Amino acid sequence: MAASRSQDGFLTPDSDPSHTPRRSMPSFENLVLLANWRENQEKLRSARKNARKILWRDRGEPVVLLNNVEDCIRHALRGGGRAFVLASSIRALFNLCLAALKIGSISKEKRFALVRHALFGEDTWRFGAMLGTFVSVYKFLINALPILVPAINLAEPPTSAISESDDEDEPISMETRPGRSKTLPPVLPSTYLDVTTKTSERSRDGRLSLSATAQLGIIRKQTRRWHSVLAGFLSGALGIAWEKRARRTIIGQQMFVRGLQGQYNAYSTKHNINVPHGDILVFSLACGQIMYAWLMRPDTLPISYSNWICNAGRIPKQSPPLNMALWRGTTPKVALVDELIARNDATPAAFAELRELRNNIMRQLAGEKGITLPPKLPCSALHPWDDSCVRMEIPKFFAVARWMLPVYSALHFIPAILFKRQKFMKDPISILLKAGIGSLRSSAFLGTFVFIFHSVFCAQYQLWLNLSPIVPQWVLDLVLSRFSFYLPGFMTGLALFWEAKHRRGELAMYVLPKAMESAWRIGTGKARGLAGLKKTGDKGVGNILLMAVAMGMTMGIYQNDPEHLSGLVRRILYQFVGPN
């Protein structure tokens, strides 16, 4: 290739039209490689986004418009498969955490089997099948019922919200998922309503699991209420059938009270009913029932739950059955008093009082007349390590709070870091400080709970002990009535003021199922709880019916008025079910 020297002294290629610069081909290849790299990066980002959607649903996801039953079936199967994978993964991770706690206490030969069972055990598949079945059946029914049973006499949406898209007064963005459905027709079906036409009249705005922009920019699937109630009823019954009978009761109770909570919130908002500190009142009533059952009817509470109360309250396990026998006037078991006497931390005064109680029990068993026993549990049996009912309260408060601090720290720190990653990365000190304060408040809550219970119970016994010679009998009967055993638990509700406002309702909903189960057992005499009818030949249908009713109430609120559900329930349902 010939070259000529320019006036500046540099060699330049000849002005041949067929000449190709020396670096032109490599530069073109680099551009092609760069374009391919960008295309691969875009595919990778898309794949990551699709994979993330399997585990986490984005906020503001638009409604999927389905035109026939076949589309409903495909949509339901797709949603049910996603729910199965997500639920199984969550349960496997939970089982793995439990296995990690006890893997050090077993032999090396059994560790692999423990991990394998945690990841692929029966509980993992049952939990995934339960939620997968629930979501698939619900999605099919909630979308197919409006097609199979068209709505009648429902008012059409305003035409300005449908056809006048350029109206500045009522802007609306009607989004659809590409590739899954067509654009909205000129006349919007009555089952799809603009979210802005409903939330503007409510006083519970801002509680939805959607951003404020998404609330204004998408449509939300609304159906006739009986559609969502029927879909929730049937899907809840079919889904819970996968779980073991013992877990059906627990899950059904929790969802039942969540449905009641949503129904009450909707009713109170509609009729402008406001009960000050209603969450604390519900918590107090529930705790009153639970602590009454723990003292007087321990057979109506699960054994594990009764043992946890004893451990949390630093109360000897012999106290509840001993108190029940004393109040009923029956002779207590000598073994209960012997176990209290055998404690190494009992003070000399408590030891002497317990020995006297044992001697009186033995004399009653021998048939001796005129032997009287205390009508309720003495303080020496409640706190035998300290003779003073006042002095032992403060150390017990700090002991209980310190005991629960690690548990509450995990409950506050882990969600703050995992579910608020963006805020945590932007301002970690503020998030950690808030979580730390929340942990201290929750620990103080349980410490105060135990403090109040012990104080009221001991005060009642001391009143009977010191006032019995000087007050009328009716006063003593009042102090020792059945209601007196309800009062200590009811007063513990004051401890809930330690907690943040948004946590009070969650704690109330946590204790309410146990209280309702105990009240049901006491009222009916049944030994299997709220939905167990084993004595009458039930085969577990009661638990399934309970879950069906619970999900009917819950989904009826979720699909039409989700702002009335608690934030926790709403977010969980949104992740599994979505807008439709």
Side-chain angles (χ1 to χ4, degrees), residues 216-227:
L216 297 177
I218 70 169
I219 56 177
R220 175 166 57 85
K221 178 72 176 283
Q222 263 200 339
T223 67
R224 301 195 63 151
R225 190 172 295 274
W226 73 267
H227 288 175

mmCIF file with all atom_site columns, all heavy atoms in Angstrom, residues 216-227:
data_model
loop_
_atom_site.group_PDB
_atom_site.id
_atom_site.type_symbol
_atom_site.label_atom_id
_atom_site.label_alt_id
_atom_site.label_comp_id
_atom_site.label_asym_id
_atom_site.label_entity_id
_atom_site.label_seq_id
_atom_site.pdbx_PDB_ins_code
_atom_site.Cartn_x
_atom_site.Cartn_y
_atom_site.Cartn_z
_atom_site.occupancy
_atom_site.B_iso_or_equiv
_atom_site.pdbx_formal_charge
_atom_site.auth_seq_id
_atom_site.auth_comp_id
_atom_site.auth_asym_id
_atom_site.auth_atom_id
_atom_site.pdbx_PDB_model_num
ATOM 1   N N   . LEU A 1 216 ? -52.091 5.378   43.162 1.00 0.00 ? 216 LEU A N   1
ATOM 2   C CA  . LEU A 1 216 ? -52.739 6.328   42.276 1.00 0.00 ? 216 LEU A CA  1
ATOM 3   C C   . LEU A 1 216 ? -52.638 5.910   40.814 1.00 0.00 ? 216 LEU A C   1
ATOM 4   O O   . LEU A 1 216 ? -53.319 6.459   39.974 1.00 0.00 ? 216 LEU A O   1
ATOM 5   C CB  . LEU A 1 216 ? -52.112 7.717   42.453 1.00 0.00 ? 216 LEU A CB  1
ATOM 6   C CG  . LEU A 1 216 ? -52.269 8.333   43.848 1.00 0.00 ? 216 LEU A CG  1
ATOM 7   C CD1 . LEU A 1 216 ? -51.534 9.655   43.904 1.00 0.00 ? 216 LEU A CD1 1
ATOM 8   C CD2 . LEU A 1 216 ? -53.732 8.534   44.182 1.00 0.00 ? 216 LEU A CD2 1
ATOM 9   N N   . GLY A 1 217 ? -51.766 4.956   40.504 1.00 0.00 ? 217 GLY A N   1
ATOM 10  C CA  . GLY A 1 217 ? -51.468 4.658   39.120 1.00 0.00 ? 217 GLY A CA  1
ATOM 11  C C   . GLY A 1 217 ? -51.927 3.320   38.624 1.00 0.00 ? 217 GLY A C   1
ATOM 12  O O   . GLY A 1 217 ? -51.693 2.998   37.461 1.00 0.00 ? 217 GLY A O   1
ATOM 13  N N   . ILE A 1 218 ? -52.543 2.479   39.426 1.00 0.00 ? 218 ILE A N   1
ATOM 14  C CA  . ILE A 1 218 ? -52.970 1.169   38.956 1.00 0.00 ? 218 ILE A CA  1
ATOM 15  C C   . ILE A 1 218 ? -54.420 0.954   39.306 1.00 0.00 ? 218 ILE A C   1
ATOM 16  O O   . ILE A 1 218 ? -55.027 1.704   40.075 1.00 0.00 ? 218 ILE A O   1
ATOM 17  C CB  . ILE A 1 218 ? -52.124 0.036   39.569 1.00 0.00 ? 218 ILE A CB  1
ATOM 18  C CG1 . ILE A 1 218 ? -52.441 -0.115  41.063 1.00 0.00 ? 218 ILE A CG1 1
ATOM 19  C CG2 . ILE A 1 218 ? -50.657 0.256   39.357 1.00 0.00 ? 218 ILE A CG2 1
ATOM 20  C CD1 . ILE A 1 218 ? -51.862 -1.354  41.674 1.00 0.00 ? 218 ILE A CD1 1
ATOM 21  N N   . ILE A 1 219 ? -54.977 -0.108  38.731 1.00 0.00 ? 219 ILE A N   1
ATOM 22  C CA  . ILE A 1 219 ? -56.324 -0.524  39.099 1.00 0.00 ? 219 ILE A CA  1
ATOM 23  C C   . ILE A 1 219 ? -56.227 -1.752  39.965 1.00 0.00 ? 219 ILE A C   1
ATOM 24  O O   . ILE A 1 219 ? -55.271 -2.501  39.895 1.00 0.00 ? 219 ILE A O   1
ATOM 25  C CB  . ILE A 1 219 ? -57.183 -0.802  37.849 1.00 0.00 ? 219 ILE A CB  1
ATOM 26  C CG1 . ILE A 1 219 ? -56.492 -1.850  36.960 1.00 0.00 ? 219 ILE A CG1 1
ATOM 27  C CG2 . ILE A 1 219 ? -57.453 0.449   37.078 1.00 0.00 ? 219 ILE A CG2 1
ATOM 28  C CD1 . ILE A 1 219 ? -57.294 -2.245  35.762 1.00 0.00 ? 219 ILE A CD1 1
ATOM 29  N N   . ARG A 1 220 ? -57.199 -1.937  40.804 1.00 0.00 ? 220 ARG A N   1
ATOM 30  C CA  . ARG A 1 220 ? -57.198 -3.075  41.735 1.00 0.00 ? 220 ARG A CA  1
ATOM 31  C C   . ARG A 1 220 ? -58.436 -3.915  41.478 1.00 0.00 ? 220 ARG A C   1
ATOM 32  O O   . ARG A 1 220 ? -59.533 -3.406  41.292 1.00 0.00 ? 220 ARG A O   1
ATOM 33  C CB  . ARG A 1 220 ? -57.199 -2.566  43.183 1.00 0.00 ? 220 ARG A CB  1
ATOM 34  C CG  . ARG A 1 220 ? -57.325 -3.660  44.212 1.00 0.00 ? 220 ARG A CG  1
ATOM 35  C CD  . ARG A 1 220 ? -56.982 -3.107  45.584 1.00 0.00 ? 220 ARG A CD  1
ATOM 36  N NE  . ARG A 1 220 ? -57.799 -1.988  45.961 1.00 0.00 ? 220 ARG A NE  1
ATOM 37  C CZ  . ARG A 1 220 ? -58.998 -2.103  46.530 1.00 0.00 ? 220 ARG A CZ  1
ATOM 38  N NH1 . ARG A 1 220 ? -59.494 -3.292  46.762 1.00 0.00 ? 220 ARG A NH1 1
ATOM 39  N NH2 . ARG A 1 220 ? -59.683 -1.035  46.869 1.00 0.00 ? 220 ARG A NH2 1
ATOM 40  N N   . LYS A 1 221 ? -58.230 -5.237  41.468 1.00 0.00 ? 221 LYS A N   1
ATOM 41  C CA  . LYS A 1 221 ? -59.346 -6.156  41.202 1.00 0.00 ? 221 LYS A CA  1
ATOM 42  C C   . LYS A 1 221 ? -60.323 -6.117  42.363 1.00 0.00 ? 221 LYS A C   1
ATOM 43  O O   . LYS A 1 221 ? -59.966 -6.445  43.481 1.00 0.00 ? 221 LYS A O   1
ATOM 44  C CB  . LYS A 1 221 ? -58.801 -7.569  41.019 1.00 0.00 ? 221 LYS A CB  1
ATOM 45  C CG  . LYS A 1 221 ? -59.878 -8.628  40.779 1.00 0.00 ? 221 LYS A CG  1
ATOM 46  C CD  . LYS A 1 221 ? -60.474 -8.490  39.405 1.00 0.00 ? 221 LYS A CD  1
ATOM 47  C CE  . LYS A 1 221 ? -61.472 -9.609  39.131 1.00 0.00 ? 221 LYS A CE  1
ATOM 48  N NZ  . LYS A 1 221 ? -60.819 -10.873 38.813 1.00 0.00 ? 221 LYS A NZ  1
ATOM 49  N N   . GLN A 1 222 ? -61.527 -5.664  42.063 1.00 0.00 ? 222 GLN A N   1
ATOM 50  C CA  . GLN A 1 222 ? -62.603 -5.703  43.039 1.00 0.00 ? 222 GLN A CA  1
ATOM 51  C C   . GLN A 1 222 ? -63.730 -6.558  42.494 1.00 0.00 ? 222 GLN A C   1
ATOM 52  O O   . GLN A 1 222 ? -64.081 -6.459  41.329 1.00 0.00 ? 222 GLN A O   1
ATOM 53  C CB  . GLN A 1 222 ? -63.122 -4.305  43.355 1.00 0.00 ? 222 GLN A CB  1
ATOM 54  C CG  . GLN A 1 222 ? -62.519 -3.719  44.613 1.00 0.00 ? 222 GLN A CG  1
ATOM 55  C CD  . GLN A 1 222 ? -63.376 -2.588  45.146 1.00 0.00 ? 222 GLN A CD  1
ATOM 56  O OE1 . GLN A 1 222 ? -64.156 -2.005  44.432 1.00 0.00 ? 222 GLN A OE1 1
ATOM 57  N NE2 . GLN A 1 222 ? -63.225 -2.293  46.408 1.00 0.00 ? 222 GLN A NE2 1
ATOM 58  N N   . THR A 1 223 ? -64.261 -7.405  43.339 1.00 0.00 ? 223 THR A N   1
ATOM 59  C CA  . THR A 1 223 ? -65.349 -8.280  42.938 1.00 0.00 ? 223 THR A CA  1
ATOM 60  C C   . THR A 1 223 ? -66.507 -8.098  43.897 1.00 0.00 ? 223 THR A C   1
ATOM 61  O O   . THR A 1 223 ? -66.404 -7.389  44.903 1.00 0.00 ? 223 THR A O   1
ATOM 62  C CB  . THR A 1 223 ? -64.899 -9.749  42.972 1.00 0.00 ? 223 THR A CB  1
ATOM 63  O OG1 . THR A 1 223 ? -64.656 -10.115 44.337 1.00 0.00 ? 223 THR A OG1 1
ATOM 64  C CG2 . THR A 1 223 ? -63.631 -9.954  42.163 1.00 0.00 ? 223 THR A CG2 1
ATOM 65  N N   . ARG A 1 224 ? -67.591 -8.751  43.583 1.00 0.00 ? 224 ARG A N   1
ATOM 66  C CA  . ARG A 1 224 ? -68.657 -8.810  44.575 1.00 0.00 ? 224 ARG A CA  1
ATOM 67  C C   . ARG A 1 224 ? -68.121 -9.539  45.792 1.00 0.00 ? 224 ARG A C   1
ATOM 68  O O   . ARG A 1 224 ? -67.359 -10.500 45.669 1.00 0.00 ? 224 ARG A O   1
ATOM 69  C CB  . ARG A 1 224 ? -69.869 -9.539  43.989 1.00 0.00 ? 224 ARG A CB  1
ATOM 70  C CG  . ARG A 1 224 ? -70.406 -8.867  42.742 1.00 0.00 ? 224 ARG A CG  1
ATOM 71  C CD  . ARG A 1 224 ? -71.785 -9.365  42.400 1.00 0.00 ? 224 ARG A CD  1
ATOM 72  N NE  . ARG A 1 224 ? -72.749 -9.054  43.445 1.00 0.00 ? 224 ARG A NE  1
ATOM 73  C CZ  . ARG A 1 224 ? -74.042 -8.856  43.229 1.00 0.00 ? 224 ARG A CZ  1
ATOM 74  N NH1 . ARG A 1 224 ? -74.522 -8.921  42.014 1.00 0.00 ? 224 ARG A NH1 1
ATOM 75  N NH2 . ARG A 1 224 ? -74.849 -8.616  44.220 1.00 0.00 ? 224 ARG A NH2 1
ATOM 76  N N   . ARG A 1 225 ? -68.526 -9.102  46.965 1.00 0.00 ? 225 ARG A N   1
ATOM 77  C CA  . ARG A 1 225 ? -67.912 -9.613  48.189 1.00 0.00 ? 225 ARG A CA  1
ATOM 78  C C   . ARG A 1 225 ? -68.098 -11.120 48.337 1.00 0.00 ? 225 ARG A C   1
ATOM 79  O O   . ARG A 1 225 ? -67.213 -11.815 48.833 1.00 0.00 ? 225 ARG A O   1
ATOM 80  C CB  . ARG A 1 225 ? -68.474 -8.878  49.402 1.00 0.00 ? 225 ARG A CB  1
ATOM 81  C CG  . ARG A 1 225 ? -67.733 -9.171  50.699 1.00 0.00 ? 225 ARG A CG  1
ATOM 82  C CD  . ARG A 1 225 ? -68.211 -8.270  51.800 1.00 0.00 ? 225 ARG A CD  1
ATOM 83  N NE  . ARG A 1 225 ? -67.882 -6.884  51.522 1.00 0.00 ? 225 ARG A NE  1
ATOM 84  C CZ  . ARG A 1 225 ? -66.705 -6.332  51.835 1.00 0.00 ? 225 ARG A CZ  1
ATOM 85  N NH1 . ARG A 1 225 ? -65.758 -7.057  52.389 1.00 0.00 ? 225 ARG A NH1 1
ATOM 86  N NH2 . ARG A 1 225 ? -66.481 -5.075  51.559 1.00 0.00 ? 225 ARG A NH2 1
ATOM 87  N N   . TRP A 1 226 ? -69.230 -11.640 47.901 1.00 0.00 ? 226 TRP A N   1
ATOM 88  C CA  . TRP A 1 226 ? -69.449 -13.069 48.084 1.00 0.00 ? 226 TRP A CA  1
ATOM 89  C C   . TRP A 1 226 ? -68.504 -13.886 47.214 1.00 0.00 ? 226 TRP A C   1
ATOM 90  O O   . TRP A 1 226 ? -68.215 -15.041 47.524 1.00 0.00 ? 226 TRP A O   1
ATOM 91  C CB  . TRP A 1 226 ? -70.905 -13.433 47.819 1.00 0.00 ? 226 TRP A CB  1
ATOM 92  C CG  . TRP A 1 226 ? -71.344 -13.412 46.383 1.00 0.00 ? 226 TRP A CG  1
ATOM 93  C CD1 . TRP A 1 226 ? -71.906 -12.384 45.706 1.00 0.00 ? 226 TRP A CD1 1
ATOM 94  C CD2 . TRP A 1 226 ? -71.273 -14.515 45.466 1.00 0.00 ? 226 TRP A CD2 1
ATOM 95  N NE1 . TRP A 1 226 ? -72.177 -12.738 44.420 1.00 0.00 ? 226 TRP A NE1 1
ATOM 96  C CE2 . TRP A 1 226 ? -71.806 -14.048 44.244 1.00 0.00 ? 226 TRP A CE2 1
ATOM 97  C CE3 . TRP A 1 226 ? -70.811 -15.821 45.545 1.00 0.00 ? 226 TRP A CE3 1
ATOM 98  C CZ2 . TRP A 1 226 ? -71.889 -14.844 43.110 1.00 0.00 ? 226 TRP A CZ2 1
ATOM 99  C CZ3 . TRP A 1 226 ? -70.887 -16.627 44.425 1.00 0.00 ? 226 TRP A CZ3 1
ATOM 100 C CH2 . TRP A 1 226 ? -71.421 -16.146 43.225 1.00 0.00 ? 226 TRP A CH2 1
ATOM 101 N N   . HIS A 1 227 ? -68.000 -13.307 46.116 1.00 0.00 ? 227 HIS A N   1
ATOM 102 C CA  . HIS A 1 227 ? -67.009 -14.009 45.301 1.00 0.00 ? 227 HIS A CA  1
ATOM 103 C C   . HIS A 1 227 ? -65.743 -14.271 46.113 1.00 0.00 ? 227 HIS A C   1
ATOM 104 O O   . HIS A 1 227 ? -65.226 -15.392 46.151 1.00 0.00 ? 227 HIS A O   1
ATOM 105 C CB  . HIS A 1 227 ? -66.663 -13.184 44.056 1.00 0.00 ? 227 HIS A CB  1
ATOM 106 C CG  . HIS A 1 227 ? -67.748 -13.154 43.043 1.00 0.00 ? 227 HIS A CG  1
ATOM 107 N ND1 . HIS A 1 227 ? -67.685 -12.379 41.897 1.00 0.00 ? 227 HIS A ND1 1
ATOM 108 C CD2 . HIS A 1 227 ? -68.944 -13.790 42.987 1.00 0.00 ? 227 HIS A CD2 1
ATOM 109 C CE1 . HIS A 1 227 ? -68.778 -12.545 41.187 1.00 0.00 ? 227 HIS A CE1 1
ATOM 110 N NE2 . HIS A 1 227 ? -69.572 -13.386 41.831 1.00 0.00 ? 227 HIS A NE2 1
#
